[in-house]
């Protein structure tokens, strides 16, 4: 069987690791228990988290044992990495709810049966820590001078950094130590923005346990346009179908930049590399076929084959001019709302299709907005109930963004 380190490298996941040759050798000869942390900052995972899940899937397929660590404890502090201000503090009930939602979602993709995988929640040990004992056993091994050299802290010095946030690295590092002692976990894996935090745990285990453990990060992925993958102007692409419909996820991937499609295929799908290489040969309009495959594969794996087929059919029918699909984004509104005329700009803002009236005016005057496939040119256009055929109307923004309004 091919070494999973090589698989991760060939597919473009890897960013940094400690003792690369040793780590590669270990991953090639014995089952390794490793962990990935998920701070419970929302009630759903995003497409960005899906990269971490794919890494875990590849490693589990190769015989390694994943620990999905829910951050029920660390979320009470909040990771300062990449933040210019302190994160908004969350209450325990919200954190617990989010952690349970993460557990449900992660369990869709990984096998947590006996001996195959493990789910832990660091609230189970972090919330029980005695402060004086903790700083005596753990804090003594961390140099403040060195910690301040890390970007996650250095970039916050001008705005102000609280001791509360400063302790995050110690908590995450203790997680690695705890999991090493309980499960003989030898490897922590995370995004490249976690490198300093991961190094803290790696060094702590080596000091206290006098054993070799390892750290590995994968790249934080951006589109060719420099936007963090999984983000849109309207917000994140969620794995929860109630927050991002399968169709919306499909369209996000279907509409990716031509330069991104092969990269996304390698990272977000489990398609074999030789199959992806065939799609890499496509040029011009044929690249759209690769985009459809990308979108279909991801939606299928996240939401099931039925949802993927429905999203594909909806996409094809819309591009073919049909408007009867129930799978495109839709919003129900009371019919009374349109008893009096409603301005198109106000409606598009309410639906999240535009952020400002000036954006809407520009789109409309440039011919970028249609109602039921008829372009409109007047930004002052107003809609009433009479404009809804069979109680529905479809607004199209640009060539690829659709939204149905249904009167109730």
């Amino acid at each position: 069987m091919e070494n999973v380190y090589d698989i991760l490298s060939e597919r473009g996941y890897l960013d940094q690791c400690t003792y690369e040759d040793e780590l590669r050798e270990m991953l090639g000869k014995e089952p390794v228990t490793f962990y990935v942390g998920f701070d419970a900052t929302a009630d759903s995972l995003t497409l960005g988290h899906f990269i971490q899940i794919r890494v875990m899937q590849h490693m589990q397929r190769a015989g390694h044992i994943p620990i999905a660590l829910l951050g029920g404890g660390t979320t009470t502090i909040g990771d300062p990495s990449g933040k210019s201000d302190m994160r908004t503090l969350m209450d325990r009930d919200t954190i617990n709810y989010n952690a349970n939602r993460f557990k449900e979602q992660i369990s869709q993709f990984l096998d947590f049966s006996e001996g195959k995988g493990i789910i832990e929640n660091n609230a189970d040990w972090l919330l029980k820590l005695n402060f004086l004992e903790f700083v005596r056993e753990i804090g003594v091994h961390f140099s403040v001078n060195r910690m301040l050299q890390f970007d996650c802290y250095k970039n916050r010095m001008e705005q102000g950094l609280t001791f509360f946030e400063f302790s995050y690295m110690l908590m995450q590092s203790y997680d690695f130590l705890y999991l090493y002692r309980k499960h003989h976990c030898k490897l922590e894996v995370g995004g490249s923005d976690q490198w300093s935090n991961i190094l803290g745990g790696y060094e702590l285990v080596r000091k206290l346990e006098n054993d070799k453990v390892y750290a590995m990060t994968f790249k934080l992925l951006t589109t060719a346009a420099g936007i963090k993958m999984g983000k849109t102007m309207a917000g994140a692409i969620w794995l929860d179908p109630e927050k991002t419909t399968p169709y919306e996820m499909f369209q996000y991937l279907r509409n990716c930049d031509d330069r991104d499609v092969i990269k996304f295929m390698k990272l977000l799908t489990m398609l074999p590399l030789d199959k992806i290489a065939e799609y890499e040969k496509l040029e011009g309009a044929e690249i759209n076929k690769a985009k459809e495959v990308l979108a279909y594969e991801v939606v299928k794996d996240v939401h099931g084959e039925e949802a993927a087929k429905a999203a594909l059919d909806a996409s094809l029918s819309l591009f073919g001019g049909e408007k009867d699909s129930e799978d495109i984004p839709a919003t129900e509104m009371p019919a009374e709302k349109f008893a009096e005329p409603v301005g198109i700009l106000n409606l598009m803002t309410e639906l999240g299709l535009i952020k400002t009236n000036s954006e809407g005016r520009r789109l409309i005057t440039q011919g970028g907005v249609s109602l039921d496939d008829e372009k409109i040119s007047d930004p002052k256009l107003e809609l009433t109930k009479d404009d809804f055929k069979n109680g529905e109307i479809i607004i199209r923004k640009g060539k690829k963004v659709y939204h149905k309004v249904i009167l109730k």
Side-chain angles (χ1 to χ4, degrees), residues 120-400:
E120 291 275 18
N121 187 330
N122 60 22
D124 294 340
W125 55 86
L126 292 182
L127 298 184
K128 298 174 183 176
L129 288 175
N130 177 286
F131 178 74
L132 292 179
E133 291 177 359
F134 179 77
V135 294
R136 182 182 176 91
E137 180 190 2
I138 305 301
V140 69
H141 297 289
F142 288 81
S143 163
V144 171
N145 290 344
R146 182 160 183 258
M147 289 173 69
L148 289 175
Q149 298 305 307
F150 291 128
D151 287 342
C152 62
Y153 294 128
K154 184 168 59 177
N155 296 340
R156 286 288 307 280
M157 293 306 292
E158 289 186 12
Q159 289 82 9
L161 178 69
T162 66
F163 177 78
F164 182 63
E165 297 169 281
F166 199 60
S167 64
Y168 185 90
M169 182 182 290
L170 277 69
M171 297 295 177
Q172 182 170 331
S173 299
Y174 184 75
D175 285 341
F176 199 171
L177 178 64
Y178 183 92
L179 294 174
Y180 172 87
R181 289 173 172 173
K182 183 176 181 180
H183 299 294
H184 201 57
C185 178
K186 300 275 285 187
L187 170 66
E188 181 177 358
V189 181
S192 59
D193 60 340
Q194 291 296 306
W195 181 243
S196 55
N197 289 329
I198 292 174
L199 281 182
Y202 151 83
E203 292 174 353
L204 181 65
V205 177
R206 286 195 165 215
K207 288 175 183 176
L208 293 182
E209 300 299 324
N210 194 30
D211 193 9
K212 287 185 176 180
V213 293
Y214 301 88
M216 181 169 70
T217 59
F218 48 82
K219 298 169 185 174
L220 287 183
L221 298 164
T222 57
T223 66
I227 300 170
K228 192 173 182 180
M229 189 172 69
K231 297 286 187 180
T232 69
M233 292 298 289
I237 301 296
W238 304 96
L239 301 193
D240 183 345
E242 296 298 318
K243 296 168 75 74
T244 298
T245 67
Y247 175 81
E248 288 170 327
M249 179 181 287
F250 186 98
Q251 285 300 99
Y252 171 78
L253 294 164
R254 168 62 180 78
N255 296 334
C256 72
D257 192 296
D258 290 357
R259 296 167 292 176
D260 289 325
V261 62
I262 298 303
K263 178 173 72 173
F264 285 9
M265 271 189 168
K266 291 178 180 179
L267 299 167
L268 291 171
T269 79
M270 301 299 276
L271 291 172
L273 288 177
D274 56 354
K275 182 69 173 177
I276 294 174
E278 292 298 313
Y279 291 112
E280 197 166 6
K281 298 174 184 176
L282 300 179
E283 297 180 351
E286 288 187 329
I287 294 175
N288 289 330
K289 176 59 180 174
K291 293 181 181 182
E292 285 180 2
V293 172
L294 164 68
Y296 185 88
E297 288 294 319
V298 175
V299 174
K300 179 190 70 175
D301 289 350
V302 175
H303 297 298
E305 191 148 17
E306 185 176 340
K309 288 179 178 177
L312 175 61
D313 290 344
S315 179
L316 293 175
S317 68
L318 284 168
F319 285 114
E322 300 175 23
K323 301 180 288 296
D324 58 351
S325 171
E326 296 181 359
D327 297 292
I328 66 172
T331 300
E332 289 189 345
M333 291 185 169
E336 305 83 64
K337 180 182 180 73
F338 294 89
E340 297 293 330
V342 175
I344 184 64
L345 295 179
N346 290 337
L347 180 59
M348 291 180 70
T349 300
E350 187 173 347
L351 296 173
L353 294 172
I354 57 173
K355 287 188 172 293
T356 63
N357 284 346
S358 59
E359 177 191 356
R361 281 192 290 269
R362 185 180 69 254
L363 279 169
I364 291 171
T365 55
Q366 292 176 351
V369 177
S370 298
L371 296 178
D372 286 339
D373 267 353
E374 292 186 12
K375 287 187 178 181
I376 61 174
S377 57
D378 183 6
K380 296 180 180 179
L381 178 72
E382 295 180 324
L383 301 178
T384 67
K385 288 190 291 186
D386 295 336
D387 295 304
F388 289 74
K389 300 174 184 177
N390 299 317
E392 298 180 356
I393 196 168
I394 289 182
I395 302 173
R396 186 181 74 189
K397 184 182 80 168
K399 294 182 179 180
K400 302 174 181 178

Side-chain angles (χ1 to χ4, degrees), residues 1 11 18 39 93 195 225 273 333 367 376:
M1 180 182 291
R11 296 186 81 100
T18 57
D39 270 359
D93 288 343
W195 181 243
L273 288 177
M333 291 185 169
I376 61 174

